[in-house]
Amino acid sequence: MPTIQDVAKLAGVSTATVSRALSGSRPVGAGVKRRVQEAAEQLGYRHNVLAQALRTQRSRTIGMVVPQISNPFFPLLVEAVERRLQQDGIDLLLCDSHYDLDVEARRLRTLTDRHVDGIIISPLHATDSAPAIRTAAELVPVIQIDRQVEGLAGHWVGVDDAVGFSQLVDLLVARGRRRLVFVSSQLDNSSARDRAQTFEKSLARHGLEPAAPALLGRFDVSWGLEAAQRLVDDFGDSRTSGHGPTGGGHGGYGVYGGPDGVVCGDDLIALGVLRGMSRAGIAVPDEVAVTGFDDIAFAEISDPPLTTMRQQWDVMADECARLLKQDLTGGSRRIAVAPLLQLRGSTPRIAPA
Amino acid sequence: MPTIQDVAKLAGVSTATVSRALSGSRPVGAGVKRRVQEAAEQLGYRHNVLAQALRTQRSRTIGMVVPQISNPFFPLLVEAVERRLQQDGIDLLLCDSHYDLDVEARRLRTLTDRHVDGIIISPLHATDSAPAIRTAAELVPVIQIDRQVEGLAGHWVGVDDAVGFSQLVDLLVARGRRRLVFVSSQLDNSSARDRAQTFEKSLARHGLEPAAPALLGRFDVSWGLEAAQRLVDDFGDSRTSGHGPTGGGHGGYGVYGGPDGVVCGDDLIALGVLRGMSRAGIAVPDEVAVTGFDDIAFAEISDPPLTTMRQQWDVMADECARLLKQDLTGGSRRIAVAPLLQLRGSTPRIAPA
DNA sequence: TTGAAAGCGCTAACAT
DNA sequence: ATGTTAGCGCTTTCAA
């Protein structure tokens, strides 16, 4: 591997000049510049990023920590961020915390050890993630994305849950639904908390109360399935007896007296609920409407397709990149991006007469 | 940030001794070792990975390039690899080539520029990805994963397509299906090519021919939807008229004379096909059986659930890690991991009488 | 077993 | 505008 020395020798200049000519950090004679470039070209010179990083204390790398990359929500985020950073010639060190606080803390350490220029993290816990993040934030700019920890004067970019969930509740109410229930993950992360709050507040605006206590489990499909089953069981629907793995048939419309609208904390849960209802033979949206959140790819092809809020990943990625380029000392930026309603078949089409 | 010098001073030894004591690269006096460790602890000393990398020419980082992280197949791979590398204290630089050859080549360059210790790549094109990979492979060990380029004496870890698809074909034939068709992506990548070949060979083993020419588009849901529509249209089914967005109802069983088994190149396509068939009112698996490949999370909750082949991500990740630790000079390792059949509702349950 | 010192490849003062 | 030189923080000969 040729070094800057080799280029300098071949071009007949000093290494400093080569550095300047190649990086453009200082003006350099036009002829010299060309000679240097030719020499570099000829030798197949490639910049040693490691040496540069050691010297400048900037690694042109940012670290990203997500709770679980195989949750289809996060790849959408990661993809948008990666694409955006690439535009600035910055690489992405991806870390998966596997929903484990220790792992999360360790990953933050390795990122700061590597002198990344910034960290984008979706903290897995609303309070317990705080210490590790605080420590990291003392060394390098940290942007929280999507989720955030409480009581930390940090920076955050995410979706506007308040806008999102009040729109969904308003929609269901406008379409005549009055018995709404909220199904989400445990309230151990900020997203779940914000969403649960907004749900209740929005209902209150309409003078309504939840039809049942919120069902809180995990952000995944199987929890949605289970929650649907519970709803059906709790409300003593006669059709629940036949919920075999092949689906419980469309026959025999008994009395379903449960909630007529299920607002889910994310699309994974909603897709599970949809499937659970279909297995129990309960018609969506006629008997029960279902809404999701995020608009992952599969929301479009469920049966019926899922009404949900689309997150604007690109906008969030832009905001993260912008923040990381700024001087972030002092204060804490909080950027909430409004999601967009995707009206599909899992909610009733028109208002009742 | 304290450096090794600070630790040396506090412990009253030389930097060399600190280095040895902390890394264990050479024996060090027991008492000295303890003193050094205490000093490091006390100062909150953290290793500067950049400096170490510059000196040792090893970065404890490996790069991974995938065609598109938002395709739910790849996160499963990335997650397994990331988890495995973490065990060895190695970090993952993730790159998304966005199905663009130029981007892929550029990403490979930045990875080699960063002196990663190895690269794991799923090449997006069966032939055109070769030059960039060859260049990278001259500088650093490269393992191809899942997909591979042709005519390159490189290393590869992936799924055993031959085993997988012949098992699927055998299954369908055993269940009485004779009119099979293959739906996949364009044959520009190795996976699609291998799978198409195996499909035809397996049919031939049973003395059969494809019921129709293979439908080749993209590895995504919308292509599956479109392919299903084409199959229905081409075979003049009377029910195709009513395929509105809300699903085409289960009424009116006309004559469906099309293929009775659709073997799909991956789960995304299969889920699209499933949905397309349901919209057209064609019963799965009674009228047409559908199989997928990969076993992504959503395969379990489609309606009906998808019969598919489960990939053993962890095994593949292990193999990659193992290969990267070996001396790979000379020869080319090719490791095919057999997938596991997941029998679900999209294929008929029992053999015909 | 330990220390002194060179140097990985680069950039940024500080000269000229 | 260009060159000289001193490191960034670490590891590793080489010598003791």
Side-chain angles (χ1 to χ4, degrees):
Chain A
M1 268 280 160
T3 74
I4 205 170
Q5 310 252 17
D6 303 320
V7 179
K9 203 165 293 169
L10 183 60
V13 294
S14 73
T15 60
T17 302
V18 173
S19 175
R20 302 196 262 250
L22 259 29
S23 72
S25 62
R26 306 243 139 205
V28 137
V32 173
K33 183 162 194 170
R34 209 181 34 255
R35 279 216 321 282
V36 169
Q37 284 170 336
E38 278 166 9
E41 177 84 12
Q42 190 181 327
L43 293 171
Y45 169 73
R46 305 246 76 206
H47 215 178
N48 186 324
V49 186
L50 258 32
Q52 186 186 40
L54 179 61
R55 181 62 231 244
T56 60
Q57 307 285 17
R58 334 202 73 256
S59 60
R60 302 197 67 74
T61 308
I62 80 109
M64 185 162 184
V65 186
V66 298
Q68 190 180 40
I69 186 70
S70 64
N71 171 334
F73 167 82
F74 291 108
L76 297 171
L77 211 48
V78 171
E79 180 175 56
V81 167
E82 201 261 3
R83 170 178 266 136
R84 184 61 187 72
L85 292 177
Q86 216 174 294
Q87 289 172 16
D88 297 349
I90 291 174
D91 291 327
L92 184 70
L93 222 30
L94 180 74
C95 301
D96 191 321
S97 61
H98 304 296
Y99 286 112
D100 180 324
L101 276 171
D102 282 345
V103 175
E104 186 178 61
R106 267 205 306 281
R107 303 309 277 150
L108 283 169
R109 291 275 275 215
T110 75
L111 289 176
T112 51
D113 281 357
R114 278 176 178 276
H115 293 239
V116 293
D117 297 337
I119 294 177
I120 298 176
I121 181 172
S122 192
L124 63 91
H125 196 283
T127 54
D128 300 356
S129 291
I133 290 182
R134 193 173 293 120
T135 306
E138 281 165 14
L139 298 168
V140 35
V142 172
I143 315 282
Q144 298 174 77
I145 192 164
D146 185 53
R147 303 174 175 200
Q148 60 185 316
V149 299
E150 282 169 2
L152 188 77
H155 313 290
W156 173 79
V157 174
V159 64
D160 195 323
D161 285 318
V163 165
F165 279 86
S166 57
Q167 254 186 282
L168 290 170
V169 168
D170 291 354
L171 168 73
L172 290 176
V173 171
R175 304 284 159 103
R177 303 302 162 111
R178 294 292 178 273
R179 304 193 310 281
L180 305 186
V181 63
F182 186 61
V183 177
S184 188
S185 89
Q186 305 270 13
L187 303 185
D188 57 1
N189 63 83
S190 65
S191 294
R193 292 187 187 189
D194 293 350
R195 292 167 190 191
Q197 257 185 24
T198 302
F199 174 75
E200 304 235 345
K201 275 192 201 159
S202 305
L203 276 188
R205 266 197 290 107
H206 293 284
L208 296 173
E209 291 205 343
L215 292 170
L216 304 177
R218 300 170 312 278
F219 280 131
D220 63 30
V221 168
S222 60
W223 167 242
L225 273 167
E226 191 182 328
Q229 195 52 56
R230 286 203 204 173
L231 286 173
V232 171
D233 288 348
D234 287 358
F235 290 93
D237 187 81
S238 59
R239 285 162 289 167
T240 60
S241 45
H243 52 82
T246 52
H250 293 262
Y253 278 72
V255 185
Y256 170 72
D260 56 11
V262 180
V263 174
C264 302
D266 81 347
D267 282 351
L268 293 177
I269 295 176
L271 293 171
V273 168
L274 232 43
R275 187 80 181 102
M277 290 297 175
S278 123
R279 283 188 187 167
I282 292 171
V284 177
D286 294 345
E287 292 182 277
V288 57
V290 177
T291 64
F293 202 89
D294 292 342
D295 197 25
I296 64 175
F298 290 94
E300 227 174 332
I301 61 151
S302 59
D303 184 17
L306 186 64
T307 290
T308 188
M309 301 298 302
R310 182 173 199 39
Q311 294 221 33
Q312 304 197 70
W313 320 104
D314 292 347
V315 176
M316 292 186 202
D318 283 349
E319 293 293 347
C320 283
R322 198 173 56 78
L323 285 181
L324 284 172
K325 274 190 277 198
Q326 280 180 10
D327 175 24
L328 290 176
T329 49
S332 86
R333 282 76 167 171
R334 300 183 32 80
I335 298 171
V337 180
L340 307 171
L341 180 64
Q342 298 292 318
L343 214 48
R344 302 206 183 94
S346 69
T347 46
R349 209 184 272 253
I350 42 161
Chain B
M1 267 280 159
T3 73
I4 204 171
Q5 309 251 18
D6 304 319
V7 179
K9 203 164 295 171
L10 183 61
V13 295
S14 73
T15 60
T17 302
V18 174
S19 174
R20 301 196 262 249
L22 260 28
S23 72
S25 62
R26 305 244 138 203
V28 137
V32 175
K33 183 163 193 167
R34 208 181 34 255
R35 280 218 317 284
V36 168
Q37 284 170 336
E38 278 165 10
E41 178 84 13
Q42 190 182 325
L43 294 171
Y45 170 72
R46 306 244 77 206
H47 214 104
N48 186 323
V49 186
L50 259 33
Q52 186 186 40
L54 178 61
R55 183 58 231 240
T56 61
Q57 307 284 18
R58 336 202 71 257
S59 59
R60 302 198 67 75
T61 308
I62 80 109
M64 184 160 184
V65 187
V66 297
Q68 191 179 41
I69 187 67
S70 64
N71 171 335
F73 167 82
F74 291 108
L76 297 170
L77 211 48
V78 170
E79 180 176 55
V81 167
E82 201 261 3
R83 171 177 265 136
R84 185 61 188 71
L85 292 177
Q86 216 173 293
Q87 288 172 17
D88 297 350
I90 291 173
D91 291 326
L92 185 69
L93 222 30
L94 179 74
C95 301
D96 190 322
S97 60
H98 303 298
Y99 285 112
D100 179 323
L101 275 171
D102 281 345
V103 175
E104 185 178 62
R106 267 205 306 278
R107 303 309 277 149
L108 283 170
R109 290 276 274 216
T110 76
L111 288 176
T112 52
D113 281 358
R114 277 177 178 276
H115 293 240
V116 294
D117 297 337
I119 293 176
I120 298 176
I121 181 173
S122 191
L124 64 91
H125 197 282
T127 53
D128 300 354
S129 290
I133 291 181
R134 192 173 292 121
T135 306
E138 282 166 12
L139 298 168
V140 34
V142 172
I143 315 281
Q144 298 173 78
I145 192 163
D146 186 54
R147 303 174 174 199
Q148 60 186 315
V149 298
E150 283 170 2
L152 187 76
H155 313 291
W156 174 80
V157 173
V159 64
D160 195 324
D161 285 319
V163 165
F165 279 86
S166 57
Q167 253 186 283
L168 290 170
V169 168
D170 291 354
L171 167 73
L172 290 175
V173 171
R175 304 284 159 104
R177 303 302 161 111
R178 293 294 178 271
R179 303 192 310 280
L180 305 186
V181 63
F182 186 61
V183 178
S184 188
S185 88
Q186 304 271 13
L187 303 184
D188 57 1
N189 64 84
S190 65
S191 294
R193 291 187 188 188
D194 292 350
R195 292 167 190 192
Q197 255 184 26
T198 302
F199 174 76
E200 304 234 344
K201 275 191 200 160
S202 306
L203 275 187
R205 266 196 292 107
H206 293 284
L208 295 172
E209 292 206 340
L215 292 170
L216 304 177
R218 301 169 311 277
F219 279 131
D220 62 30
V221 167
S222 61
W223 167 241
L225 273 168
E226 189 181 329
Q229 196 51 56
R230 284 202 205 171
L231 286 173
V232 171
D233 288 348
D234 287 0
F235 289 93
D237 186 80
S238 58
R239 283 162 291 166
T240 60
S241 43
H243 51 80
T246 52
H250 292 263
Y253 278 72
V255 186
Y256 170 71
D260 56 11
V262 180
V263 174
C264 301
D266 81 349
D267 282 353
L268 293 177
I269 294 175
L271 292 171
V273 167
L274 232 43
R275 186 81 182 102
M277 290 297 176
S278 124
R279 282 188 187 167
I282 292 170
V284 177
D286 294 346
E287 293 182 276
V288 58
V290 177
T291 64
F293 203 90
D294 293 340
D295 197 25
I296 64 175
F298 291 94
E300 227 173 332
I301 61 151
S302 58
D303 184 17
L306 186 64
T307 290
T308 187
M309 300 298 302
R310 182 172 199 35
Q311 295 221 32
Q312 304 197 68
W313 319 104
D314 292 347
V315 176
M316 291 186 202
D318 283 349
E319 293 294 347
C320 283
R322 199 173 54 78
L323 285 180
L324 284 172
K325 274 190 276 201
Q326 280 182 10
D327 175 23
L328 291 174
T329 48
S332 85
R333 283 74 166 173
R334 301 182 31 82
I335 298 170
V337 180
L340 308 172
L341 181 63
Q342 298 293 318
L343 215 48
R344 301 205 183 97
S346 68
T347 46
R349 208 183 273 253
I350 42 160

